[in-house]
Amino acid sequence: MRDLSGHRTALGFLYLGLSALNLLAAAGLAFVTWLVTQIATGRHRPAPVWEGLPVYVMAGFTLFVLWMALSGLAVGVGLLRGGRVSKPLALVLSILMLPTFPVGTVLGVYSLWFFSQEGWDAEPGMQHGM
């Protein structure tokens, strides 16, 4: 079995970096959703209108991006600390990242490769002889 600790560290940093970008995207989407509600109301009503389908779709997409960011942070921290990582969660995230070319595609393919290797869950730094 190969030593995958270098790959584990690199993948952990990639997850953290991309998840930080996703957090920024979620904040931007939340602001745009708020802005759309302000424009839709014409600023004549005191409270924003949360009744329209576009606002629901934007809010749902914002929550989805936020979930991906927080899940990616959890996987990245787990990989870097050498702790337990949820393989199903990491696989779902890697599949969801595949269409986000180019960085998400690279991370998705790298994650799928890493989690398919024997010994991916071994403690970092442990080398097993043949």
Side-chain angles (χ1 to χ4, degrees):
M1 184 171 16
R2 313 175 15 182
D3 179 25
L4 297 173
S5 61
H7 293 289
R8 184 180 183 98
T9 302
L11 194 58
F13 280 120
L14 283 171
Y15 266 106
L16 288 180
L18 194 58
S19 296
L21 291 175
N22 280 343
L23 279 176
L24 286 174
L29 284 170
F31 175 73
V32 169
T33 303
W34 173 81
L35 191 61
V36 166
T37 60
Q38 295 300 311
I39 292 171
T41 60
R43 299 182 186 196
H44 289 69
R45 296 183 190 172
V49 176
W50 291 99
E51 302 165 356
L53 180 63
V55 174
Y56 285 138
V57 170
M58 289 176 69
F61 190 69
T62 301
L63 290 175
F64 175 71
V65 172
L66 183 62
W67 172 81
M68 282 190 61
L70 295 176
S71 299
L73 286 173
V75 170
V77 168
L79 286 170
L80 287 176
R81 287 190 175 173
R84 296 185 52 88
V85 175
S86 171
K87 183 178 179 179
L89 175 63
L91 291 177
V92 166
L93 284 175
S94 62
I95 290 169
L96 289 174
M97 287 183 201
L98 286 174
T100 57
F101 184 79
V103 178
T105 304
V106 170
L107 181 58
V109 170
Y110 193 30
S111 291
L112 290 172
W113 172 83
F114 177 78
F115 288 107
S116 68
Q117 299 298 305
E118 182 180 336
W120 70 268
D121 55 351
E123 292 182 28
M126 282 186 61
Q127 291 186 5
H128 299 282
M130 293 246 180

